[in-house]
Amino acid sequence: MATPPPPDEKAELVEHVAAFQGYFKVGRYFFRHSLHQGGQSPVISREVFERGHAAGVLPYDPIRDEVVLIRQFRAGLYVAGRHPWGWETVAGIIEDGETPEQVVHREAIEEAGLKIGDLIPIHNLMLSPGAMSESCALFLGRVDSTTAGGVFGLESEGEDILVKVVPFAEARAMLDRGEIDNAAAVVALQWLALHSDEVRNRWR
């Protein structure tokens, strides 16, 4: 069980207005909050990008010790001045009435043509809490990687997703070379590096 936050860390919402509303939305929030040295802050204003919450899964074959990664064009990478294709885990937005587990099963089929078996929760991440409200419930998912690979994605959503099976040792080397910079993928692969023996014993 997580340790509860300190009782003297308190925040108050003063006002909230919609700064932008489209497919996604941006909210303008006004807060007051407690200060570490005592007292209270003046009212501060922050814009927050709100796109809902996500779930992601790193597909892993414990028999072959392989992971399945996906690669697609990302506008954010382009705007950041990086190469606009990157390696990622399977992920998607949680729709109304869905659980994170249902999302990763659905997205694995849509994005990678994969049937996910058992799931192990990894972490529930805040992806960029200074500017976004989005969280990502991240899992490790058991797969048979022998038939994985190809190009997938929903044409209706403009998806063009390359699916690649990668030996886990090579995925770790890709991390060391800086070839994987997607936050959820980095966390999932680092978690698996710490827990691979435990996972393989559990899924043998």
Side-chain angles (χ1 to χ4, degrees):
M1 180 179 295
T3 303
D8 57 347
E9 291 185 349
K10 297 180 179 178
E12 172 193 359
L13 177 61
V14 176
E15 186 181 1
H16 166 234
V17 296
F20 172 80
Q21 178 68 64
Y23 181 72
F24 300 124
K25 63 182 177 179
V26 175
R28 181 172 293 116
Y29 290 84
F30 297 84
F31 301 100
R32 278 191 292 260
H33 63 81
S34 57
L35 300 172
H36 290 299
Q37 293 183 318
Q40 192 174 59
S41 73
V43 174
I44 60 172
S45 172
R46 296 288 185 270
E47 284 79 37
V48 177
F49 179 70
E50 302 177 61
R51 57 169 288 173
H53 299 284
V57 61
L58 175 63
Y60 177 61
D61 185 330
I63 307 303
R64 299 169 63 88
D65 197 25
E66 294 175 335
V67 296
V68 181
L69 300 176
I70 64 173
R71 188 171 180 86
Q72 60 186 313
F73 173 84
R74 291 301 198 188
L77 289 172
Y78 184 93
V79 174
R82 297 178 178 235
H83 183 69
W85 279 264
W87 294 110
E88 305 176 355
T89 61
V90 167
I93 297 297
I94 301 171
E95 304 293 346
D96 289 342
E98 279 190 311
T99 66
E101 292 82 358
Q102 289 171 331
V103 172
V104 297
H105 283 287
R106 170 173 56 79
E107 291 290 337
I109 293 171
E110 292 178 5
E111 294 190 341
L114 284 174
K115 181 177 176 60
I116 298 287
D118 297 334
L119 291 172
I120 298 176
I122 292 177
H123 205 70
N124 197 320
L125 310 171
M126 292 299 299
L127 298 177
S128 184
M132 298 172 60
S133 62
E134 180 184 4
S135 66
C136 181
L138 192 56
F139 299 88
L140 187 74
R142 183 173 187 168
V143 297
D144 176 357
S145 64
T146 56
T147 60
V151 177
F152 292 85
L154 297 180
E155 185 177 348
S156 60
E157 296 182 8
E159 294 178 330
D160 177 58
I161 301 172
L162 177 68
V163 178
K164 184 176 181 181
V165 178
V166 181
F168 182 52
E170 174 58 19
R172 293 183 67 177
M174 291 167 68
L175 278 178
D176 291 340
R177 295 193 298 264
E179 295 173 13
I180 300 173
D181 58 5
N182 174 275
V186 170
V187 169
L189 289 166
Q190 294 283 24
W191 184 93
L192 183 55
L194 291 172
H195 298 277
S196 58
D197 290 342
E198 170 192 338
V199 169
R200 295 181 75 182
N201 286 333
R202 178 172 172 177
W203 283 351
R204 64 170 61 165

